[in-house]
Amino acid sequence: MRFTNMFIPTLRETPSDAEAVSHKLMLRAGYVRQLAAGLYMYLPLGWRVMAKINAILKEEMDAIGAQEISLPVLHPAELWQQTGRWDEIKEEMFRLKDRGGRDMCLGMTHEEVMTYLASREIRSYRQLPQSWYQIQTKLRDEARPKSGILRTREFIMKDSYSFDADEAGLDKSYELHAKAYHRIFQRCGLEFYQVQSDPGMMGGKGAHEFMAPSPAGEDEAVLCVSCGYAANVELAGSISPGERFKAEPHDIHAAKTGDGCPKCGAALKIERCIEIGNIFKLGTKYSLPMKAFYLTEDGSERPLIMGSYGIGPARIAAAAIEQSHDGDGMIWPASIAPFDAEIIPLNIKDENTAKTAEALYNALNEAGIETLMDDRDERAGVKFKDADLIGIPKQVIIGERNLKEGLVEVKDRRTKEALKVKPDEVLKAFKS
Ligand SMILES: [Zn+2]
């Protein structure tokens, strides 16, 4: 894409209402704009990052045999009444009536709808296991939306749900998801921990959260560097895609730095984190009240054993920025960057510069390198500032002086190391 054809409204000033680094940079670099409290508009660069993350989510979900489906955002109240959550959940749920006066709500999670579907369609053990997922909009009337796209009232989520015949099946589905989550966060270039969260209040057998260390996070992880034990500081917090909003203050002891590790006794450390995913063994919590039963081989009726698994792609994007930036702007991991490379012709009016830039732009795109070219008639300083701000991993700088020697500069956004190469060696320079 050419800069002159794209909508990249960068800002020189840091917006005063933004606190988290990711929030400030996303606004400054023209990735997002706010519509109202907790409601964000993704602009072209921001949406390209989301598309990259979602593609990774899909690949890894498909790889463990999960199947993508799509469910409505608008739900009839009856399903939520069956599980009791219509009354349990308070102001966080957006509720409305349709023209016939029927109670409806906007989905903050999809356990009820997924279980409804399974209850109607899964009849026999022969159809099990099943694993279904969607990447879709959720709504939650947060009391205090903040930190940009980290805590919003409307957000996109990858949520998957597993249906098994028994506990052993659930263990397997759960383990498959845990491993897929590791691959997803690794591929997205994040530093993260898998930590234990509280299974007790759900009556289930296991729950884990995935935490990306960052000062902008709202959670805290307890870590033991000696044995690798990791848990949420308050084991009662932030549980399944659906249960977070139910968490109330519990009389659970919160760990402190220096406390002894429950496994090995070494001193624990506490780290502030962004929760980027969670996995939960639901068991029969939803299948029993919603009568999602299947027939076993001997003809008896049993409830489906369920798991649910959530990831917020916007949180991955924000965590990536939090973990990877400098004073000049974002530094995207290559896998989720909006583009792979940016060509920066310093003086687009110079004929030789423009010709070289155009040839390189075509060559890189043809080689499958997604390339942005800053073809604006702007001062070099403006282009450098914007390039560092939007954080595309590789920059190709074309200046008249180097060009006289037949060279262009390939610069790494992270290390700021620059290499002078011939234009036809740029691809090779990327690889090294
Ligand atoms: Zn330990």
Side-chain angles (χ1 to χ4, degrees), residues 224 226-229 261 263-266:
C224 174
S226 175
C227 75
Y229 170 81
C261 168
K263 276 195 176 161
C264 77

Side-chain angles (χ1 to χ4, degrees), residues 170-214:
L170 172 60
D171 288 347
K172 215 165 145 188
S173 297
Y174 190 83
E175 205 43 48
L176 279 174
H177 271 88
K179 284 186 178 147
Y181 275 34
H182 276 263
R183 283 191 298 272
I184 286 165
F185 299 130
Q186 273 161 8
R187 286 181 63 183
C188 291
L190 293 182
E191 187 193 334
F192 67 96
Y193 308 110
Q194 179 178 340
V195 310
Q196 283 179 10
S197 56
D198 180 28
M201 76 178 266
M202 288 290 293
K205 287 224 170 90
H208 288 90
E209 289 165 341
F210 291 81
M211 300 281 218
S214 155

